[in-house]
Amino acid sequence: MISAEFIAVIVIAYILGNISPSTILAKRRGMDIKHEGSGNAGTTNTLRVLGVHAALITLVVDIGKGVLAVMLARWICPAAVMYCALAAFLGHVFPVFLKFKGGKGVAVAFGVLLAMNWKLALAAFGVVAVVVVLTRRVSPGSIAIAVVFPLLVYWMEPDFFYLSIIMALIVFFKHWSNLMRLIHGEEKPITASWFKKR
């Protein structure tokens, strides 16, 4: 039987996912992050548009809200932990308070994994890091983990397998435009100019 606590923590997790630090930071500078750079409200575009400091804040908050969503569920209603992980992710990617236009979900996904199974989170991070270093581009790392993620989950956290497929598919299709640019050799590499203070 689904309890009130079960529903409540899932709703809270989704609302937490709606928090968009990049949107807030951009507005403080008189900008709309969705109309700057790639138009994405995530860490990479924040780095490109607003600089290192804003990008670090965005990354920490996006990871943190994923961690918090899972920890609250573990404290209030352990049966809802996996669903809260998905809810926080969906809240980030499809935030109702931002007309369902959010980020691509990689950072918050890392956050929920970190709270659920830190070994799985580190394995996922390792995949992303290796691909980013080899290609000097962020999007191939995100696409790679979208492909590998369900396999890692099946091996290390099998109860989360079916929900992980949903997350992986969303991350993959949110990066579809990046994939097309990669195929056509148009995806820009990471450059030193991204790290200049703004």
Side-chain angles (χ1 to χ4, degrees):
M1 183 176 177
I2 297 176
S3 65
E5 289 85 0
F6 186 93
I7 296 172
V9 291
I10 290 175
V11 171
I12 291 170
Y14 176 80
I15 292 172
L16 282 171
N18 275 242
I19 298 170
S20 178
S22 61
T23 301
I24 296 169
L25 292 167
K27 280 185 177 180
R28 289 179 62 184
R29 300 193 192 184
M31 292 187 285
D32 183 347
I33 195 70
K34 298 180 190 66
H35 293 102
E36 302 288 341
S38 68
N40 181 56
T43 300
T44 303
N45 194 43
T46 303
L47 175 61
R48 187 185 295 117
V49 173
L50 301 177
V52 177
H53 185 253
L56 285 174
I57 293 173
T58 297
L59 181 63
V60 170
V61 173
D62 283 348
I63 292 173
K65 66 191 183 187
V67 171
L68 182 58
V70 171
M71 295 304 293
L72 282 174
R74 188 168 286 158
W75 177 47
I76 298 170
C77 183
V81 164
M82 292 188 296
Y83 301 99
C84 285
L86 179 62
F89 172 81
L90 293 176
H92 174 83
V93 179
F94 306 113
V96 66
F97 298 120
L98 296 173
K99 300 180 180 179
F100 301 101
K101 296 178 181 179
K104 296 182 179 179
V106 177
V108 72
F110 178 73
V112 300
L113 287 184
L114 199 58
M116 287 176 59
N117 184 330
W118 65 268
K119 293 179 180 179
L120 174 56
L122 290 183
F125 175 78
V127 171
V128 174
V130 168
V131 176
V132 169
V133 168
L134 290 176
T135 64
R136 292 182 55 244
R137 290 164 175 82
V138 176
S139 59
S142 300
I143 294 167
I145 194 56
V147 174
V148 175
F149 182 49
L151 299 177
L152 291 175
V153 170
Y154 185 77
W155 176 41
M156 302 179 74
E157 195 71 39
D159 290 342
F160 192 58
F161 178 65
Y162 294 109
L163 297 182
S164 76
I165 293 175
I166 295 172
M167 293 172 66
L169 286 173
I170 290 172
V171 169
F172 184 82
F173 284 109
K174 289 289 284 186
H175 285 84
W176 186 258
S177 61
N178 301 91
L179 179 60
M180 292 300 102
R181 287 195 294 271
L182 284 166
I183 290 172
H184 293 101
E186 298 170 353
E187 185 77 335
K188 295 179 181 180
I190 299 169
T191 64
S193 64
W194 290 18
F195 299 91
K196 290 180 180 178
K197 289 185 177 181
R198 291 178 177 84

